[in-house]
Every structure is written in structure tokens, then in C-alpha cells.
Amino acid sequence: MDSHGCSNGLREEEIDAVAMVVTAVVVNTMGDKESSSRDMLTRLRQRRALLQSVAEALDCAATCEAVVQLCVALTSGVFPRQTPRWWIKRRTGGTWEDLRLRDYATDEYFRPKLRMSTAMFNHTVVACATYMEKKVTHYPMPLPVEQLIAFTLYRWTSEETYESGTSAFGIGRATGLQAVRDVTSALLQAYPDAIKWPMGRRRAQILCAFREKGSPNCFGAIDCTHIYIDKPAGAPSENYYDRKQKFSVQAQVVVDLDLWILDVHVGYPGSVHNVRVLHNSQLFRRAEIGELFDATPENLPHGVVTRGYLLGDDGYLVACPWIVSPYGGIDQGADEKRFDTRQKVARGCVERAFGRLKCMWRLFLRTHKTSLETLPQQFVAVCTLHNILLDAGIDFDENLLWEVDANGVRRRVDLGIVGNGARGRGRCTNVEGELLRDALRDRQALM
């Protein structure tokens, strides 16, 4: 058409060429996108009408009208939209492309990358999908749930930065940050009972296992580990530097002999003493009101009766009457030495749990960039995965506990278990706890 809006006409072969292009575009958009039968019928009718208008076009006006209709149809969602759109940069990721195959040949590839089998990954995707579905708009299509979950797991296992990790999965850094938040929230909602205090048969099994270790009515072992992070801009630094002068956040964990995490409390600065972390946790409040230790009373020597307690290191000497610590010291009698040995062996489960947890999810083993607001939820999420994988029977590669340093020496990794020692032993007394410890000592001497 000229500048006055008058039609100068098109040759017949030009009209046919335009009509063929429009027809090709229409047919190309007829993909196999899922939809309801009613929506599909409606779209088919609209496409048929559009194709008919193109086929009956006798001049350029009809052809131009068909093009206009096609544009309107594309913008109104009549045709399924291919993604990414032409103005969105297309990215491809090598790691994700390898993982998405999800066949038997890639199962061994899954384990070192995501710490689980393909079957376990599929189960996790199904469980979290409900909490991660997003509305489809005319803007870029939401990424598949499995891609977001795979990236988050890879982020927690690989120690890579957001820049390199997102590049391997074909997504942007901002998308990666949001994916970690979404997957963390979905895991906590999908598995709300993965971390819980033992009840029923499970509690009976735990009590029986600790009894065989010489600790009747023991529910578990408690300790803290440090999560090292880069100091966020504007974060208060005076309280977060621990005894190694590293910026860290503490995580308090209670585990049983099977390495199951029964309780977790995370978020306190690295310089805070273990006892202070305990006194500010929900675990302490529940124990003080009698919600946790309710086993059948166990009669011990000297008239001591216990319904439950935890095992702790010498940093908990002044904590409370329901944490049993070792005697420690150099000049020990035979009974004290025997008790400390058995107590240490039983309490070793918490260190083994930290080894499995932090070596599988190695991001929390090394110093990394993160937000103080989202770190606690992320750590609870990996604790949730820890229990899920234990329940699924996923094996742990003991080689992950070792590393080669800069000098080529093979050594065990630092799990961040920085003991507070017996600081504060003289500030207060724990008479009930000492009586319980003496009774357990004498009980073991009779065994």
C-alpha cells in the first residue's frame, strides 16, 4: 500500500507466497502442548477459520487481514508459545543437559552430582512440584520444576559459585538465587515431619540402642557445628567471628545412633557459647516443660531416677540436668575413665552425622557467599534431605571425609566442630546433672 493508504495490488505469485508463509507459521505452532479437550477444540476451530481466510484471500487486502489476525491470535494465546521467545537470550547448560536424560546410564552421574539416584530425584520432584508451580503468563515460561530442584541440589553439593553453577544449568544468576529460595521452601513444606522428636516404635528403638551402649533412657547426642560464610555487607561482625577468627553461624543438632537428625536449631553467631545456643533454642523450652523426656522411669544407683537425657561434650557441663557430659581431666579413676570412654563412643554418632551431612552437601563445609536471612532455612532443608536419604537407604561415600591439602597430604576434612571446652564451669553448678552422671558411671561399673 502507498503512503495514502491506497492499494496498488500485488501479483498473484506474491499473494500466494505471503499466504504460504502465514500457513506455515500457523501449522508450525500446532505443537503437542497439553491442554484440556475443550480448549483444544476451541483452538482448532480458530486455526481452521484463520487458515480458511488465508486460503480464500484473492488480493493483498485479504492477505494483510490474515496477517493481522495471526498477530492478534499469537498475542492472545490462541497458539501455544514456543520458549524462549525471540527477545529472550537462549542459554544451554552442559550439566543440566546430561542430568535431564534420567535413564539408567545416567544414574551413576546423578549420585556424585545430586547425592541421590534418579528414582529418588523423581520422588523429590513429585513431592515438591505442588509447592513450586507458577502461573504461565505471556512473559518467559517458568522453568521446569525438575531443573530448579536439580540446580539447587547441585548448588548445595558442588561448592560452586552462583555464576558457574547457573551457567552449567542454562539459567541466570537471579533465577538461581530465586530457585534456591523456592526449592528450600518447597522441601520444608513437602517434608514437614522429616525432622521430629522420636515417638512410638522409633523412640523404643533409639532407647534400646543407647541402652546397649551403656546409656539407658538416652534419647540422643547433642553438639554444635559452625557454618562458615563470607561476611555479608553491613552484617555485624563482632559476634560472628569464632575462636578461629572465621565469620560463622552455629547450628545445634541432636542425632541418634542411626545418624537421624531429631532436632536442629541454627542461626546464632559463631562466637556464642554452646550453652547459650541451647538455652535459646526450642529444644530447651520443650525439655524444661516436660515434652521431650518421657520414657519409662529408669532406676539407677544412689536412688537416682531418670526419664531421659542427652549426651554432650565437656562444653555442656553447666548446661542442664538432662545433658550428661564426660568427667574429663587427667587424674581419673578406673570407673570415670571407663565411663568417659563409653560416653565418647556413644556420643560419636553426632560427629559421624556431621560428617555425612556436611560432606554430602559440601557447600556448608566451606566458606561461601549467602544471606544471613536464608541460611537457616537452607541448612534445615539439607538436614531434611539428610533424613530422607537415610530413610531411602542412600549410601555415603566415606572418601568424601578426606581431602588432599596444598602440600599433597591426605587428611580428614574440618567439620567445623569447634568445642567450647569447659568455659564457665565455675560460674554455676549442675548438681542434678552430676548426680545423674555418677549414677550412670556406677551402673556401667556393674555391667
Side-chain angles (χ1 to χ4, degrees):
M1 303 182 70
D2 60 19
S3 59
H4 300 287
C6 299
S7 174
N8 292 325
L10 292 176
R11 294 193 301 274
E12 185 175 352
E13 56 270 19
E14 292 176 335
I15 297 175
D16 292 340
V18 173
M20 289 176 64
V21 170
V22 175
T23 303
V25 172
V26 174
V27 174
N28 250 353
T29 59
M30 298 177 64
D32 54 353
K33 183 178 180 180
E34 296 181 1
S35 60
S36 65
S37 58
R38 180 176 300 178
D39 292 341
M40 184 60 72
L41 288 174
T42 302
R43 291 180 179 180
L44 285 174
R45 293 192 187 99
Q46 291 172 329
R47 290 170 186 154
R48 188 182 298 114
L50 186 57
L51 287 171
Q52 185 176 358
S53 65
V54 173
E56 295 175 353
L58 299 179
D59 53 22
C60 66
T63 303
C64 293
E65 179 65 22
V67 173
V68 172
Q69 291 181 21
L70 175 62
C71 294
V72 172
L74 288 174
T75 57
S76 61
V78 171
F79 303 106
R81 177 165 43 83
Q82 300 294 327
T83 57
R85 297 186 128 192
W86 62 270
W87 63 82
I88 302 299
K89 181 180 179 181
R90 180 183 294 275
R91 298 184 177 96
T92 58
T95 303
W96 171 239
E97 292 300 323
D98 293 335
L99 288 171
R100 68 185 302 184
L101 296 176
R102 278 189 278 174
D103 55 15
Y104 292 106
T106 60
D107 190 62
E108 292 304 319
Y109 187 76
F110 256 71
R111 292 180 182 273
K113 295 294 183 181
L114 306 184
R115 305 299 188 223
M116 61 182 66
S117 63
T118 54
M120 189 66 213
F121 177 75
N122 293 336
H123 181 274
T124 305
V125 170
V126 172
C128 296
T130 304
Y131 305 99
M132 295 185 62
E133 291 181 353
K134 295 185 177 180
K135 183 179 179 181
V136 178
T137 66
H138 291 291
Y139 296 98
M141 289 285 288
L143 293 173
V145 172
E146 54 267 27
Q147 185 175 0
L148 300 179
I149 294 178
F151 166 75
T152 303
L153 298 180
Y154 183 77
R155 159 77 177 165
W156 289 338
T157 62
S158 66
E159 307 175 66
E160 290 191 9
T161 62
Y162 272 109
E163 286 74 11
S164 60
T166 53
S167 176
F169 276 75
I171 59 178
R173 187 178 185 277
T175 303
L177 289 167
Q178 188 60 47
V180 171
R181 298 190 190 99
D182 293 343
V183 173
T184 298
S185 176
L187 283 170
L188 298 181
Q189 293 180 78
Y191 300 98
D193 297 326
I195 302 175
K196 65 178 181 180
W197 199 252
M199 301 294 293
R201 180 180 298 180
R202 179 64 184 163
R203 182 181 65 173
Q205 292 173 346
I206 293 174
L207 296 178
C208 180
F210 275 106
R211 179 182 294 274
E212 294 177 356
K213 295 288 185 179
S215 301
N217 270 9
C218 178
F219 278 73
I222 184 172
D223 208 345
C224 287
T225 183
H226 291 254
I227 306 171
Y228 301 113
I229 62 175
D230 290 337
K231 179 181 177 299
S237 59
E238 59 275 7
N239 295 326
Y240 282 90
Y241 285 98
D242 61 10
R243 295 167 62 186
K244 291 187 175 182
Q245 294 304 305
K246 291 184 177 181
F247 195 92
S248 67
V249 173
Q250 288 204 59
Q252 172 188 280
V253 175
V254 178
V255 304
D256 63 19
L257 288 175
D258 293 327
L259 310 188
W260 273 71
I261 295 177
L262 309 179
D263 185 84
V264 58
H265 177 71
V266 57
Y268 265 78
S271 65
V272 175
H273 194 278
N274 288 5
V275 176
R276 184 179 175 188
V277 176
L278 172 66
H279 286 170
N280 287 278
S281 66
Q282 188 67 23
L283 175 76
F284 183 83
R285 289 186 284 271
R286 293 181 62 193
E288 289 296 299
I289 62 177
E291 288 187 1
L292 300 183
F293 306 113
D294 55 355
T296 303
E298 181 78 19
N299 295 315
L300 301 174
H302 315 302
V304 175
V305 179
T306 179
R307 300 194 65 184
Y309 55 90
L310 299 175
L311 300 178
D313 61 14
D314 56 0
Y316 291 96
L317 283 174
V318 297
C320 52
W322 41 269
I323 292 186
V324 176
S325 303
Y327 284 95
I330 300 175
D331 299 326
Q332 288 184 330
D335 291 344
E336 284 81 5
K337 188 175 182 179
R338 182 189 306 108
F339 174 83
D340 280 5
T341 300
R342 290 190 173 184
Q343 196 264 6
K344 183 178 180 180
V345 170
R347 180 169 48 86
C349 60
V350 69
E351 183 175 349
R352 296 197 306 275
F354 282 143
R356 177 184 173 109
L357 174 69
K358 300 185 76 172
C359 289
M360 289 186 75
W361 312 106
R362 300 185 76 85
L363 181 71
F364 303 92
L365 185 65
R366 308 296 186 200
T367 302
H368 62 281
K369 292 182 180 293
T370 190
S371 167
L372 290 175
E373 288 73 26
T374 61
L375 176 61
Q377 290 79 18
Q378 289 187 54
F379 190 78
V380 175
V382 298
C383 289
T384 298
L385 288 170
H386 171 90
N387 284 356
I388 293 173
L389 297 184
L390 278 175
D391 187 46
I394 302 298
D395 296 329
F396 173 63
D397 184 3
E398 297 288 339
N399 291 322
L400 294 174
L401 293 170
W402 298 86
E403 64 181 359
V404 178
D405 62 16
N407 299 322
V409 179
R410 190 170 183 264
R411 64 180 183 181
R412 289 181 70 90
V413 299
D414 179 11
L415 297 176
I417 306 176
V418 183
N420 295 124
R423 289 187 300 167
R425 182 182 300 182
R427 291 181 298 183
C428 60
T429 58
N430 184 11
V431 177
E432 293 183 31
E434 292 178 354
L435 289 175
L436 175 59
R437 181 177 61 185
D438 292 342
L440 289 171
R441 175 201 62 191
D442 295 341
R443 168 70 174 268
Q444 290 182 3
L446 298 174
M447 295 175 62

